[in-house]
Amino acid sequence: MPSSDLIVHRPEGLYCPPGDFYIDPWRPVSRAVITHAHSDHARMGSAHYLAHTDSAGTLRNRLGADIALQTLAYAEVIDHHGVRVSLHPAGHVLGSAQVRIEHAGQVWVASGDYKLEDDGTCPPFEPVRCHTFITESTFGLPIYRWPSQPALFADINAWWAANAAAGKASVLYAYAFGKAQRLLHGVDASIGPIVVHGAVEPLNAVYRAAGVALPPTLRVTDPGLTKADLKRALVLAPPSAAGTPWLKRFGEHSDAFASGWMLVRGARRRRGVDRGFVMSDHADWPSLQKAIGATGAERVIVTHGSTEVMVRWLCEQGLDAQVFKTEYGADDNEDDANTMVPSAPAEEPGTQPEAAP
Ligand SMILES: [Zn+2]
Ligand SMILES: [Zn+2]
């Protein structure tokens, strides 16, 4: 690998030699730049953290209130050992950022995780021109194409309204940080009350504090909540709440799971829910191609997801492409990576996504 590379792979994580810092390291380091607060990208134990201002709440929540944290606004530039560092919207979750690094005439961008469609809960993805782009590829297979936001929420609202009319609660499982708030922001709150699990509400509070409009949410223990209310309610819970006593309070209910993996029938069946809504905070296959093209990068490094398929496609486009083996990739698999990885569809031989670590 040429010694002029601005980011190299080290056992601790992705390292910037001239700046002497890491991006989303998976082991404790002295200086860490964090793209976003999902647990596989933001880990405990580093001496100093740099992240976007809107990541402060979730990072302190997860890594400890007393971490040494420096924050930047989007596009604000700092100079660190002669390396210009700035953060740019990734459109993934609140505070998510691409990291732009400039040194000796070279520009590298590390994407962290990203998606292109604006969901209203964080500033949308902005392409940043660079020589080398480090991208995720969580859903980097041609089968992954997301429905539009309006189509997705029309489906969810229709499911909720039909259950409410039938006197059944609608239990919707979704990742507690990012997905749950995106669902709250997008659903039609006039259909009925919204009840959230205890794992979801602290993150709602962080989003509200950052100025994101979320409808009122109730806890199941709320004294004002009647049995009749529960039969019309939308219930947002992390997947780990499935099968727990907490769910018994809702009696007979319909359940659904919101995830990009729901596009694949096998994943839906293994989850054992009534409905699957195809919803991801990662880019789908066309968006990955569009985002990579918009950077103008000649060299692309793929960090996680369907890395081999993506590298093959990039090489076919005439780009210099390679893989960095990282420890990212758990955030769209929640607590159950094995059951969430779909089998390769018959028409796409040899394109089975790799299991998340
Ligand atoms: Zn993420
Ligand atoms: Zn990731």
Side-chain angles (χ1 to χ4, degrees):
M1 191 173 287
S3 58
S4 62
D5 280 1
L6 281 192
I7 297 172
V8 298
H9 186 276
R10 279 209 179 169
E12 297 87 351
L14 306 185
Y15 179 66
C16 174
D20 190 23
F21 59 81
Y22 288 81
I23 296 174
D24 291 353
W26 44 87
R27 291 190 196 164
V29 299
S30 55
R31 293 191 84 89
V33 180
I34 302 296
T35 62
H36 66 291
H38 275 148
S39 56
D40 54 327
H41 291 259
R43 299 181 193 239
M44 284 198 264
S46 287
H48 184 275
Y49 294 92
L50 176 74
H52 184 264
T53 314
D54 285 343
S55 274
T58 41
L59 279 178
R60 290 198 188 279
N61 204 295
R62 291 215 29 257
L63 304 183
D66 56 347
I67 55 167
L69 174 65
Q70 178 184 1
T71 60
L72 291 180
Y74 289 123
E76 189 181 342
V77 180
I78 55 161
D79 187 293
H80 186 71
H81 298 333
V83 178
R84 286 166 62 85
V85 181
S86 55
L87 304 176
H88 303 267
H92 176 59
V93 293
L94 183 69
S96 62
Q98 307 173 75
V99 182
R100 182 186 186 276
I101 295 168
E102 184 178 348
H103 179 74
Q106 282 289 308
V107 177
W108 286 49
V109 171
S111 71
D113 293 336
Y114 63 94
K115 80 166 183 313
L116 266 50
E117 192 172 17
D118 183 6
D119 68 23
T121 66
C122 59
F125 178 89
E126 280 177 17
V128 181
R129 303 287 294 182
C130 56
H131 299 102
T132 300
F133 186 53
I134 303 181
T135 185
E136 62 138 320
S137 188
T138 304
F139 290 101
L141 289 179
I143 54 162
Y144 292 112
R145 285 158 207 270
W146 309 146
S148 70
Q149 278 280 112
L152 168 71
F153 281 107
D155 277 358
I156 293 173
N157 288 331
W159 169 74
W160 179 15
N163 292 333
K168 283 192 294 189
S170 303
V171 176
L172 182 48
Y173 298 112
Y175 196 73
F177 170 30
K179 289 238 180 68
Q181 292 73 36
R182 191 174 152 197
L183 286 164
L184 281 169
H185 182 80
V187 293
D188 176 2
S190 72
I191 296 170
I194 301 175
V195 178
V196 299
H197 188 269
V200 174
E201 192 58 20
L203 291 149
N204 294 345
V206 172
Y207 272 68
R208 287 187 178 113
V212 179
L214 300 181
T217 46
L218 300 163
R219 298 294 305 275
V220 72
T221 47
D222 209 305
L225 207 53
T226 66
K227 272 207 148 69
D229 288 336
L230 290 181
K231 290 179 191 295
R232 292 185 302 119
L234 175 67
V235 181
L236 290 180
S240 55
T244 63
W246 184 81
L247 275 174
K248 294 213 166 69
R249 301 174 187 255
F250 304 104
E252 198 207 337
H253 60 266
S254 177
D255 58 8
F257 196 84
S259 164
W261 304 117
M262 290 296 112
L263 196 63
V264 183
R265 196 191 319 213
R268 199 154 60 226
R269 197 169 48 230
R270 284 194 290 276
R271 273 288 166 183
V273 288
D274 300 327
R275 282 291 298 268
F277 294 110
V278 177
M279 173 185 176
S280 178
D281 38 26
H282 294 266
D284 63 3
W285 175 251
S287 298
L288 286 165
Q289 298 183 339
K290 193 175 163 193
I292 293 166
T295 65
E298 289 163 7
R299 185 170 166 204
V300 180
I301 301 170
V302 186
T303 54
H304 59 302
S306 301
T307 51
E308 273 147 55
V309 175
M310 180 54 82
V311 165
R312 194 165 66 214
W313 181 81
L314 290 164
C315 290
E316 282 165 12
Q317 309 310 304
L319 298 174
D320 177 2
Q322 72 183 94
V323 176
F324 269 167
K325 212 165 163 30
T326 67
E327 298 188 11
Y328 313 140
D331 55 344
D332 210 284
N333 294 301
E334 185 73 359
D335 47 354
D336 198 0
N338 290 329
T339 59
M340 292 309 293
V341 174
S343 5
E347 67 273 21
E348 294 285 341
T351 56
Q352 171 135 14
E354 26 179 61

